[in-house]
Amino acid sequence: ETGVTQTPRHLVMGMTNKKSLKCEQHLGHNAMYWYKQSAKKPLELMFVYNFKEQTENNSVPSRFSPECPNSSHLFLHLHTLQPEDSALYLCASSQTQGQNYGYTFGSGTRLTVV
Amino acid sequence: DAKTTQPNSMESNEEEPVHLPCNHSTISGTDYIHWYRQLPSQGPEYVIHGLTSNVNNRMASLAIAEDRKSSTLILHRATLRDAAVYYCILLDGNTGKLIFGQGTTLQVKP
C-alpha cells in the first residue's frame, strides 16, 4: 500500500457507458496527477491539480473529464470512450506542484473499453 | 522538457551490484534528477533523487557527474525483486512535472 488508493483496480466498459475512476490520498499532499500508460508506451501525463485547481491539461480529449473536489480526492470521469483508450490509468500525488518533491503513485486502474 | 537517454535493457546476477546509467546532456540548472522504478502490474515507485551531490538511501545510491550531464543509479546487491523498469527523469523545479521516458528494463538472474 503506497498511500495512494485507486478504485476500481479493473474496469471493463462499453463505448456508450459512463464510468468514473477514483483516487484518494491521505498523505497531506496538495498536488495530484492523472497519467495514462498504454501498452509498450511511456507514461503520459494527462492532468495536474494543485490545491484543487487544474494547472495542466495535456491536450486530453473531452471524453476524459477530471474532478478534484479537495486535495485528498481526484476523479476521472469517462464517457463515450474508444477502444484505444484501453490502458492503465495511474494517479499520483506530491507535496505540491513546482517544487522538488517525489511523487507517490497508486497501483492504477486497468481499463478495457469494448 | 529536458530529455534523458537510458539503455533499453540490462541484465544482472542476483546479489551483485548493478549500475544503471542515464545521460541528460541538456539538463538545466533547475532540473533535479529523479529515479523511479515500476514493478510488473504496479504503479511507479520513487527510488531516489538528487541535484548535484551524490545521494544514498536505503534503496539505492545516486552518483551524479560533476557536469551533471549524466548520472548512475547503483543497486548495491540486486535481488530478484529488483527486476523492474527503471526510469531516470529530470524534474523541473519550477513546473514540478514528471515526464517519463521508456526507461531501462532490468532483468535479475538467480
Side-chain angles (χ1 to χ4, degrees):
Chain A
E1 189 59 53
T2 67
V4 176
T5 303
Q6 289 189 245
T7 54
R9 290 296 306 272
H10 300 273
L11 178 63
V12 179
M13 62 184 288
M15 289 188 284
T16 58
N17 290 160
K18 287 185 180 181
K19 296 286 185 183
S20 296
L21 310 184
K22 180 181 177 182
C23 176
E24 183 173 0
Q25 57 89 11
H26 295 289
L27 300 170
H29 290 172
N30 296 298
M32 297 188 79
Y33 312 82
W34 278 117
Y35 282 84
K36 174 185 178 183
Q37 187 171 31
S38 304
K40 309 293 185 187
K41 293 177 69 174
L43 279 79
E44 301 171 58
L45 180 62
M46 300 174 70
F47 301 104
V48 180
Y49 279 83
N50 198 38
F51 292 94
K52 302 190 299 179
E53 299 297 320
Q54 187 180 120
T55 58
E56 187 101 11
N57 176 342
N58 276 336
S59 303
V60 181
S62 59
R63 58 185 183 269
F64 295 91
S65 175
E67 178 189 3
C68 188
N70 54 62
S71 291
S72 298
H73 294 87
L74 185 65
F75 295 89
L76 188 62
H77 303 299
L78 316 171
H79 63 98
T80 61
L81 294 192
Q82 304 298 313
E84 58 264 30
D85 295 322
S86 298
L88 180 67
Y89 289 85
L90 290 156
C91 172
S93 69
S94 66
Q95 188 66 41
T96 186
Q97 187 189 2
Q99 298 292 328
N100 176 35
Y101 295 107
Y103 285 30
T104 302
F105 283 83
S107 297
T109 295
R110 174 71 61 186
L111 174 68
T112 303
V113 181
V114 297
Chain B
D1 299 314
K3 296 288 191 290
T4 63
T5 303
Q6 300 177 254
N8 287 333
S9 62
M10 290 184 65
E11 287 184 357
S12 172
N13 294 318
E14 198 175 11
E15 299 189 5
E16 291 186 357
V18 181
H19 290 234
L20 297 163
C22 181
N23 287 321
H24 28 79
S25 58
T26 58
I27 191 170
S28 72
T30 57
D31 289 337
Y32 288 78
I33 302 160
H34 279 239
W35 283 83
Y36 288 74
R37 71 179 186 180
Q38 187 173 20
L39 280 65
S41 303
Q42 294 188 27
E45 173 189 28
Y46 168 82
V47 178
I48 200 167
H49 79 275
L51 182 62
T52 56
S53 304
N54 295 343
V55 185
N56 300 296
N57 66 22
R58 63 174 181 81
M59 289 182 70
S61 295
L62 176 60
I64 301 173
E66 199 169 330
D67 63 5
R68 301 211 320 131
K69 294 187 176 183
S70 65
S71 62
T72 303
L73 179 71
I74 303 165
L75 307 179
H76 295 287
R77 284 181 74 243
T79 70
L80 296 178
R81 288 178 295 180
D82 291 322
V85 180
Y86 286 79
Y87 299 98
C88 168
I89 305 168
L90 300 183
L91 188 145
D92 186 321
N94 295 318
T95 68
K97 288 195 296 183
L98 210 60
I99 306 299
F100 286 77
Q102 295 282 4
T104 296
T105 300
L106 175 66
Q107 292 183 326
V108 181
K109 297 178 181 178

mmCIF file of all heavy atoms in Angstrom, chain A residues 16-53:
data_model
loop_
_atom_site.group_PDB
_atom_site.id
_atom_site.type_symbol
_atom_site.label_atom_id
_atom_site.label_comp_id
_atom_site.label_asym_id
_atom_site.label_seq_id
_atom_site.Cartn_x
_atom_site.Cartn_y
_atom_site.Cartn_z
ATOM 1 N N THR A 16 -20.465 3.210 -24.948
ATOM 2 C CA THR A 16 -21.538 4.160 -24.642
ATOM 3 C C THR A 16 -21.725 4.365 -23.137
ATOM 4 O O THR A 16 -22.576 5.141 -22.716
ATOM 5 C CB THR A 16 -22.874 3.679 -25.240
ATOM 6 O OG1 THR A 16 -23.162 2.378 -24.706
ATOM 7 C CG2 THR A 16 -22.775 3.600 -26.758
ATOM 8 N N ASN A 17 -20.935 3.666 -22.336
ATOM 9 C CA ASN A 17 -21.079 3.769 -20.878
ATOM 10 C C ASN A 17 -20.486 5.064 -20.334
ATOM 11 O O ASN A 17 -19.672 5.734 -20.988
ATOM 12 C CB ASN A 17 -20.368 2.600 -20.185
ATOM 13 C CG ASN A 17 -21.043 1.275 -20.401
ATOM 14 O OD1 ASN A 17 -20.430 0.235 -20.236
ATOM 15 N ND2 ASN A 17 -22.312 1.287 -20.753
ATOM 16 N N LYS A 18 -20.890 5.374 -19.096
ATOM 17 C CA LYS A 18 -20.246 6.431 -18.317
ATOM 18 C C LYS A 18 -19.748 5.803 -17.027
ATOM 19 O O LYS A 18 -20.527 5.143 -16.334
ATOM 20 C CB LYS A 18 -21.241 7.544 -17.975
ATOM 21 C CG LYS A 18 -21.639 8.424 -19.119
ATOM 22 C CD LYS A 18 -22.525 9.553 -18.622
ATOM 23 C CE LYS A 18 -22.941 10.461 -19.765
ATOM 24 N NZ LYS A 18 -23.796 11.581 -19.267
ATOM 25 N N LYS A 19 -18.490 6.021 -16.729
ATOM 26 C CA LYS A 19 -17.921 5.484 -15.508
ATOM 27 C C LYS A 19 -16.962 6.507 -14.916
ATOM 28 O O LYS A 19 -16.573 7.475 -15.587
ATOM 29 C CB LYS A 19 -17.129 4.191 -15.788
ATOM 30 C CG LYS A 19 -17.977 3.034 -16.298
ATOM 31 C CD LYS A 19 -18.808 2.424 -15.188
ATOM 32 C CE LYS A 19 -19.552 1.193 -15.717
ATOM 33 N NZ LYS A 19 -20.428 0.604 -14.662
ATOM 34 N N SER A 20 -16.559 6.274 -13.673
ATOM 35 C CA SER A 20 -15.599 7.165 -13.022
ATOM 36 C C SER A 20 -14.511 6.375 -12.325
ATOM 37 O O SER A 20 -14.789 5.333 -11.724
ATOM 38 C CB SER A 20 -16.319 8.062 -11.995
ATOM 39 O OG SER A 20 -17.231 8.921 -12.622
ATOM 40 N N LEU A 21 -13.307 6.890 -12.403
ATOM 41 C CA LEU A 21 -12.181 6.357 -11.647
ATOM 42 C C LEU A 21 -11.957 7.261 -10.438
ATOM 43 O O LEU A 21 -12.071 8.481 -10.538
ATOM 44 C CB LEU A 21 -10.910 6.320 -12.501
ATOM 45 C CG LEU A 21 -11.012 5.676 -13.876
ATOM 46 C CD1 LEU A 21 -9.630 5.650 -14.544
ATOM 47 C CD2 LEU A 21 -11.609 4.298 -13.796
ATOM 48 N N LYS A 22 -11.597 6.618 -9.328
ATOM 49 C CA LYS A 22 -11.401 7.374 -8.091
ATOM 50 C C LYS A 22 -9.983 7.208 -7.581
ATOM 51 O O LYS A 22 -9.404 6.128 -7.657
ATOM 52 C CB LYS A 22 -12.385 6.899 -7.020
ATOM 53 C CG LYS A 22 -12.264 7.621 -5.679
ATOM 54 C CD LYS A 22 -13.244 7.072 -4.676
ATOM 55 C CE LYS A 22 -13.082 7.732 -3.314
ATOM 56 N NZ LYS A 22 -14.012 7.178 -2.298
ATOM 57 N N CYS A 23 -9.443 8.294 -7.047
ATOM 58 C CA CYS A 23 -8.116 8.286 -6.434
ATOM 59 C C CYS A 23 -8.209 9.015 -5.101
ATOM 60 O O CYS A 23 -8.827 10.075 -5.004
ATOM 61 C CB CYS A 23 -7.114 8.972 -7.343
ATOM 62 S SG CYS A 23 -5.447 9.118 -6.646
ATOM 63 N N GLU A 24 -7.572 8.458 -4.088
ATOM 64 C CA GLU A 24 -7.641 9.033 -2.749
ATOM 65 C C GLU A 24 -6.270 8.941 -2.085
ATOM 66 O O GLU A 24 -5.592 7.916 -2.184
ATOM 67 C CB GLU A 24 -8.676 8.251 -1.931
ATOM 68 C CG GLU A 24 -8.930 8.759 -0.536
ATOM 69 C CD GLU A 24 -10.085 8.024 0.146
ATOM 70 O OE1 GLU A 24 -10.677 7.124 -0.482
ATOM 71 O OE2 GLU A 24 -10.371 8.358 1.305
ATOM 72 N N GLN A 25 -5.864 10.030 -1.444
ATOM 73 C CA GLN A 25 -4.612 10.005 -0.680
ATOM 74 C C GLN A 25 -4.797 10.764 0.631
ATOM 75 O O GLN A 25 -5.485 11.786 0.650
ATOM 76 C CB GLN A 25 -3.450 10.593 -1.491
ATOM 77 C CG GLN A 25 -3.606 12.007 -2.003
ATOM 78 C CD GLN A 25 -3.129 13.084 -1.047
ATOM 79 O OE1 GLN A 25 -2.473 12.809 -0.046
ATOM 80 N NE2 GLN A 25 -3.452 14.336 -1.360
ATOM 81 N N HIS A 26 -4.175 10.248 1.660
ATOM 82 C CA HIS A 26 -4.204 10.905 2.968
ATOM 83 C C HIS A 26 -2.776 11.116 3.433
ATOM 84 O O HIS A 26 -2.449 10.886 4.603
ATOM 85 C CB HIS A 26 -5.034 10.067 3.947
ATOM 86 C CG HIS A 26 -6.479 9.990 3.551
ATOM 87 N ND1 HIS A 26 -7.332 11.068 3.643
ATOM 88 C CD2 HIS A 26 -7.205 8.978 3.023
ATOM 89 C CE1 HIS A 26 -8.528 10.710 3.210
ATOM 90 N NE2 HIS A 26 -8.483 9.459 2.824
ATOM 91 N N LEU A 27 -1.945 11.559 2.487
ATOM 92 C CA LEU A 27 -0.537 11.842 2.769
ATOM 93 C C LEU A 27 -0.318 13.312 3.084
ATOM 94 O O LEU A 27 0.822 13.717 3.334
ATOM 95 C CB LEU A 27 0.315 11.431 1.553
ATOM 96 C CG LEU A 27 0.230 9.949 1.158
ATOM 97 C CD1 LEU A 27 0.909 9.718 -0.189
ATOM 98 C CD2 LEU A 27 0.861 9.084 2.241
ATOM 99 N N GLY A 28 -1.383 14.098 3.009
ATOM 100 C CA GLY A 28 -1.243 15.530 3.227
ATOM 101 C C GLY A 28 -0.691 16.252 2.008
ATOM 102 O O GLY A 28 -0.233 17.392 2.109
ATOM 103 N N HIS A 29 -0.721 15.591 0.847
ATOM 104 C CA HIS A 29 -0.223 16.202 -0.383
ATOM 105 C C HIS A 29 -1.255 17.147 -0.977
ATOM 106 O O HIS A 29 -2.464 16.978 -0.792
ATOM 107 C CB HIS A 29 0.120 15.110 -1.406
ATOM 108 C CG HIS A 29 1.317 14.308 -1.025
ATOM 109 N ND1 HIS A 29 1.703 13.172 -1.720
ATOM 110 C CD2 HIS A 29 2.237 14.478 -0.036
ATOM 111 C CE1 HIS A 29 2.795 12.686 -1.166
ATOM 112 N NE2 HIS A 29 3.136 13.444 -0.134
ATOM 113 N N ASN A 30 -0.761 18.133 -1.700
ATOM 114 C CA ASN A 30 -1.646 19.138 -2.288
ATOM 115 C C ASN A 30 -1.696 19.099 -3.802
ATOM 116 O O ASN A 30 -2.487 19.819 -4.406
ATOM 117 C CB ASN A 30 -1.205 20.540 -1.841
ATOM 118 C CG ASN A 30 -1.344 20.718 -0.352
ATOM 119 O OD1 ASN A 30 -2.445 20.646 0.195
ATOM 120 N ND2 ASN A 30 -0.225 20.932 0.332
ATOM 121 N N ALA A 31 -0.855 18.315 -4.424
ATOM 122 C CA ALA A 31 -0.861 18.180 -5.877
ATOM 123 C C ALA A 31 -1.244 16.746 -6.238
ATOM 124 O O ALA A 31 -0.789 15.795 -5.601
ATOM 125 C CB ALA A 31 0.509 18.506 -6.458
ATOM 126 N N MET A 32 -2.082 16.616 -7.251
ATOM 127 C CA MET A 32 -2.495 15.291 -7.709
ATOM 128 C C MET A 32 -2.464 15.249 -9.227
ATOM 129 O O MET A 32 -2.662 16.265 -9.901
ATOM 130 C CB MET A 32 -3.894 14.934 -7.178
ATOM 131 C CG MET A 32 -3.925 14.846 -5.655
ATOM 132 S SD MET A 32 -5.471 14.216 -4.993
ATOM 133 C CE MET A 32 -5.286 12.456 -5.265
ATOM 134 N N TYR A 33 -2.214 14.045 -9.753
ATOM 135 C CA TYR A 33 -1.940 13.878 -11.169
ATOM 136 C C TYR A 33 -2.652 12.644 -11.721
ATOM 137 O O TYR A 33 -2.778 11.631 -11.028
ATOM 138 C CB TYR A 33 -0.430 13.679 -11.394
ATOM 139 C CG TYR A 33 0.467 14.670 -10.677
ATOM 140 C CD1 TYR A 33 0.801 14.491 -9.339
ATOM 141 C CD2 TYR A 33 0.971 15.779 -11.345
ATOM 142 C CE1 TYR A 33 1.622 15.391 -8.679
ATOM 143 C CE2 TYR A 33 1.802 16.691 -10.688
ATOM 144 C CZ TYR A 33 2.121 16.491 -9.357
ATOM 145 O OH TYR A 33 2.941 17.391 -8.716
ATOM 146 N N TRP A 34 -3.072 12.742 -12.979
ATOM 147 C CA TRP A 34 -3.524 11.563 -13.718
ATOM 148 C C TRP A 34 -2.531 11.284 -14.843
ATOM 149 O O TRP A 34 -2.151 12.195 -15.587
ATOM 150 C CB TRP A 34 -4.901 11.782 -14.346
ATOM 151 C CG TRP A 34 -6.068 11.582 -13.434
ATOM 152 C CD1 TRP A 34 -6.980 12.523 -13.066
ATOM 153 C CD2 TRP A 34 -6.477 10.365 -12.790
ATOM 154 N NE1 TRP A 34 -7.917 11.978 -12.221
ATOM 155 C CE2 TRP A 34 -7.638 10.646 -12.035
ATOM 156 C CE3 TRP A 34 -5.977 9.062 -12.772
ATOM 157 C CZ2 TRP A 34 -8.304 9.688 -11.269
ATOM 158 C CZ3 TRP A 34 -6.638 8.099 -12.001
ATOM 159 C CH2 TRP A 34 -7.784 8.414 -11.275
ATOM 160 N N TYR A 35 -2.141 10.007 -14.940
ATOM 161 C CA TYR A 35 -1.299 9.523 -16.023
ATOM 162 C C TYR A 35 -2.007 8.388 -16.744
ATOM 163 O O TYR A 35 -2.775 7.640 -16.137
ATOM 164 C CB TYR A 35 0.028 8.960 -15.482
ATOM 165 C CG TYR A 35 1.065 9.976 -15.083
ATOM 166 C CD1 TYR A 35 1.031 10.566 -13.823
ATOM 167 C CD2 TYR A 35 2.098 10.323 -15.946
ATOM 168 C CE1 TYR A 35 2.000 11.480 -13.444
ATOM 169 C CE2 TYR A 35 3.079 11.233 -15.568
ATOM 170 C CZ TYR A 35 3.021 11.801 -14.320
ATOM 171 O OH TYR A 35 3.993 12.714 -13.943
ATOM 172 N N LYS A 36 -1.665 8.229 -18.019
ATOM 173 C CA LYS A 36 -2.150 7.102 -18.812
ATOM 174 C C LYS A 36 -0.944 6.289 -19.260
ATOM 175 O O LYS A 36 0.049 6.854 -19.721
ATOM 176 C CB LYS A 36 -2.916 7.607 -20.042
ATOM 177 C CG LYS A 36 -3.333 6.517 -21.013
ATOM 178 C CD LYS A 36 -3.978 7.130 -22.250
ATOM 179 C CE LYS A 36 -4.357 6.045 -23.253
ATOM 180 N NZ LYS A 36 -4.937 6.629 -24.503
ATOM 181 N N GLN A 37 -1.029 4.959 -19.111
ATOM 182 C CA GLN A 37 0.047 4.097 -19.582
ATOM 183 C C GLN A 37 -0.530 3.053 -20.521
ATOM 184 O O GLN A 37 -1.191 2.104 -20.085
ATOM 185 C CB GLN A 37 0.770 3.421 -18.413
ATOM 186 C CG GLN A 37 2.005 2.640 -18.855
ATOM 187 C CD GLN A 37 2.830 2.147 -17.689
ATOM 188 O OE1 GLN A 37 2.310 1.849 -16.611
ATOM 189 N NE2 GLN A 37 4.146 2.066 -17.862
ATOM 190 N N SER A 38 -0.285 3.244 -21.808
ATOM 191 C CA SER A 38 -0.710 2.273 -22.819
ATOM 192 C C SER A 38 0.386 1.245 -23.002
ATOM 193 O O SER A 38 1.549 1.485 -22.666
ATOM 194 C CB SER A 38 -0.986 2.985 -24.147
ATOM 195 O OG SER A 38 -1.936 4.010 -23.971
ATOM 196 N N ALA A 39 0.013 0.117 -23.574
ATOM 197 C CA ALA A 39 0.973 -0.963 -23.771
ATOM 198 C C ALA A 39 2.156 -0.479 -24.603
ATOM 199 O O ALA A 39 1.979 0.199 -25.611
ATOM 200 C CB ALA A 39 0.293 -2.139 -24.464
ATOM 201 N N LYS A 40 3.355 -0.797 -24.134
ATOM 202 C CA LYS A 40 4.601 -0.511 -24.859
ATOM 203 C C LYS A 40 4.886 0.981 -25.014
ATOM 204 O O LYS A 40 5.694 1.368 -25.854
ATOM 205 C CB LYS A 40 4.589 -1.156 -26.258
ATOM 206 C CG LYS A 40 4.234 -2.630 -26.253
ATOM 207 C CD LYS A 40 5.281 -3.465 -25.592
ATOM 208 C CE LYS A 40 4.953 -4.951 -25.726
ATOM 209 N NZ LYS A 40 5.881 -5.790 -24.951
ATOM 210 N N LYS A 41 4.205 1.825 -24.261
ATOM 211 C CA LYS A 41 4.439 3.270 -24.358
ATOM 212 C C LYS A 41 4.771 3.839 -22.994
ATOM 213 O O LYS A 41 4.358 3.297 -21.972
ATOM 214 C CB LYS A 41 3.199 3.971 -24.917
ATOM 215 C CG LYS A 41 2.891 3.642 -26.359
ATOM 216 C CD LYS A 41 1.606 4.309 -26.823
ATOM 217 C CE LYS A 41 1.740 5.789 -26.935
ATOM 218 N NZ LYS A 41 0.523 6.425 -27.526
ATOM 219 N N PRO A 42 5.504 4.951 -22.976
ATOM 220 C CA PRO A 42 5.805 5.585 -21.675
ATOM 221 C C PRO A 42 4.544 6.155 -21.041
ATOM 222 O O PRO A 42 3.541 6.403 -21.729
ATOM 223 C CB PRO A 42 6.767 6.716 -22.039
ATOM 224 C CG PRO A 42 7.203 6.452 -23.425
ATOM 225 C CD PRO A 42 6.133 5.672 -24.082
ATOM 226 N N LEU A 43 4.616 6.390 -19.756
ATOM 227 C CA LEU A 43 3.516 7.064 -19.076
ATOM 228 C C LEU A 43 3.314 8.445 -19.675
ATOM 229 O O LEU A 43 4.276 9.170 -19.930
ATOM 230 C CB LEU A 43 3.820 7.232 -17.583
ATOM 231 C CG LEU A 43 3.580 6.055 -16.666
ATOM 232 C CD1 LEU A 43 4.700 5.041 -16.759
ATOM 233 C CD2 LEU A 43 3.402 6.534 -15.233
ATOM 234 N N GLU A 44 2.040 8.797 -19.885
ATOM 235 C CA GLU A 44 1.696 10.109 -20.423
ATOM 236 C C GLU A 44 0.973 10.908 -19.347
ATOM 237 O O GLU A 44 -0.038 10.442 -18.793
ATOM 238 C CB GLU A 44 0.759 9.961 -21.622
ATOM 239 C CG GLU A 44 1.294 9.154 -22.774
ATOM 240 C CD GLU A 44 0.201 8.893 -23.797
ATOM 241 O OE1 GLU A 44 -0.369 9.876 -24.307
ATOM 242 O OE2 GLU A 44 -0.104 7.718 -24.070
ATOM 243 N N LEU A 45 1.482 12.101 -19.057
ATOM 244 C CA LEU A 45 0.814 12.975 -18.102
ATOM 245 C C LEU A 45 -0.448 13.528 -18.737
ATOM 246 O O LEU A 45 -0.398 14.082 -19.841
ATOM 247 C CB LEU A 45 1.754 14.099 -17.690
ATOM 248 C CG LEU A 45 1.225 15.117 -16.692
ATOM 249 C CD1 LEU A 45 0.884 14.457 -15.358
ATOM 250 C CD2 LEU A 45 2.245 16.234 -16.487
ATOM 251 N N MET A 46 -1.583 13.391 -18.037
ATOM 252 C CA MET A 46 -2.857 13.874 -18.581
ATOM 253 C C MET A 46 -3.278 15.187 -17.930
ATOM 254 O O MET A 46 -3.512 16.178 -18.610
ATOM 255 C CB MET A 46 -3.950 12.822 -18.348
ATOM 256 C CG MET A 46 -3.701 11.484 -18.976
ATOM 257 S SD MET A 46 -4.946 10.280 -18.489
ATOM 258 C CE MET A 46 -6.396 10.894 -19.358
ATOM 259 N N PHE A 47 -3.425 15.160 -16.626
ATOM 260 C CA PHE A 47 -3.930 16.324 -15.884
ATOM 261 C C PHE A 47 -3.120 16.528 -14.611
ATOM 262 O O PHE A 47 -2.634 15.568 -14.015
ATOM 263 C CB PHE A 47 -5.396 16.120 -15.478
ATOM 264 C CG PHE A 47 -6.346 15.902 -16.602
ATOM 265 C CD1 PHE A 47 -6.832 14.630 -16.874
ATOM 266 C CD2 PHE A 47 -6.779 16.969 -17.379
ATOM 267 C CE1 PHE A 47 -7.722 14.424 -17.910
ATOM 268 C CE2 PHE A 47 -7.672 16.771 -18.414
ATOM 269 C CZ PHE A 47 -8.140 15.487 -18.686
ATOM 270 N N VAL A 48 -3.047 17.815 -14.212
ATOM 271 C CA VAL A 48 -2.395 18.167 -12.957
ATOM 272 C C VAL A 48 -3.316 19.086 -12.169
ATOM 273 O O VAL A 48 -3.886 20.026 -12.728
ATOM 274 C CB VAL A 48 -1.049 18.883 -13.187
ATOM 275 C CG1 VAL A 48 -0.404 19.233 -11.841
ATOM 276 C CG2 VAL A 48 -0.110 18.026 -14.022
ATOM 277 N N TYR A 49 -3.444 18.802 -10.889
ATOM 278 C CA TYR A 49 -4.174 19.681 -9.963
ATOM 279 C C TYR A 49 -3.244 20.079 -8.837
ATOM 280 O O TYR A 49 -2.510 19.252 -8.300
ATOM 281 C CB TYR A 49 -5.399 18.963 -9.382
ATOM 282 C CG TYR A 49 -6.587 18.946 -10.288
ATOM 283 C CD1 TYR A 49 -6.711 18.001 -11.300
ATOM 284 C CD2 TYR A 49 -7.600 19.889 -10.148
ATOM 285 C CE1 TYR A 49 -7.800 18.002 -12.137
ATOM 286 C CE2 TYR A 49 -8.706 19.888 -10.982
ATOM 287 C CZ TYR A 49 -8.799 18.936 -11.974
ATOM 288 O OH TYR A 49 -9.889 18.937 -12.814
ATOM 289 N N ASN A 50 -3.287 21.353 -8.483
ATOM 290 C CA ASN A 50 -2.505 21.852 -7.367
ATOM 291 C C ASN A 50 -3.442 22.647 -6.469
ATOM 292 O O ASN A 50 -4.062 23.617 -6.930
ATOM 293 C CB ASN A 50 -1.344 22.728 -7.865
ATOM 294 C CG ASN A 50 -0.268 22.919 -6.828
ATOM 295 O OD1 ASN A 50 0.071 22.014 -6.078
ATOM 296 N ND2 ASN A 50 0.307 24.108 -6.795
ATOM 297 N N PHE A 51 -3.564 22.254 -5.229
ATOM 298 C CA PHE A 51 -4.512 22.883 -4.305
ATOM 299 C C PHE A 51 -5.912 22.973 -4.940
ATOM 300 O O PHE A 51 -6.547 24.035 -4.939
ATOM 301 C CB PHE A 51 -4.018 24.267 -3.877
ATOM 302 C CG PHE A 51 -2.791 24.223 -3.016
ATOM 303 C CD1 PHE A 51 -1.519 24.335 -3.574
ATOM 304 C CD2 PHE A 51 -2.899 24.081 -1.645
ATOM 305 C CE1 PHE A 51 -0.391 24.277 -2.773
ATOM 306 C CE2 PHE A 51 -1.765 24.028 -0.834
ATOM 307 C CZ PHE A 51 -0.514 24.132 -1.411
ATOM 308 N N LYS A 52 -6.367 21.887 -5.493
ATOM 309 C CA LYS A 52 -7.706 21.700 -6.078
ATOM 310 C C LYS A 52 -7.897 22.418 -7.412
ATOM 311 O O LYS A 52 -8.948 22.273 -8.039
ATOM 312 C CB LYS A 52 -8.810 22.151 -5.120
ATOM 313 C CG LYS A 52 -8.836 21.470 -3.778
ATOM 314 C CD LYS A 52 -10.105 21.823 -3.001
ATOM 315 C CE LYS A 52 -10.189 23.308 -2.746
ATOM 316 N NZ LYS A 52 -11.446 23.664 -2.016
ATOM 317 N N GLU A 53 -6.936 23.180 -7.864
ATOM 318 C CA GLU A 53 -7.081 23.899 -9.122
ATOM 319 C C GLU A 53 -6.349 23.155 -10.235
ATOM 320 O O GLU A 53 -5.192 22.739 -10.058
ATOM 321 C CB GLU A 53 -6.520 25.316 -8.996
ATOM 322 C CG GLU A 53 -7.224 26.170 -7.955
ATOM 323 C CD GLU A 53 -8.678 26.406 -8.291
ATOM 324 O OE1 GLU A 53 -8.986 26.615 -9.484
ATOM 325 O OE2 GLU A 53 -9.519 26.358 -7.365
#
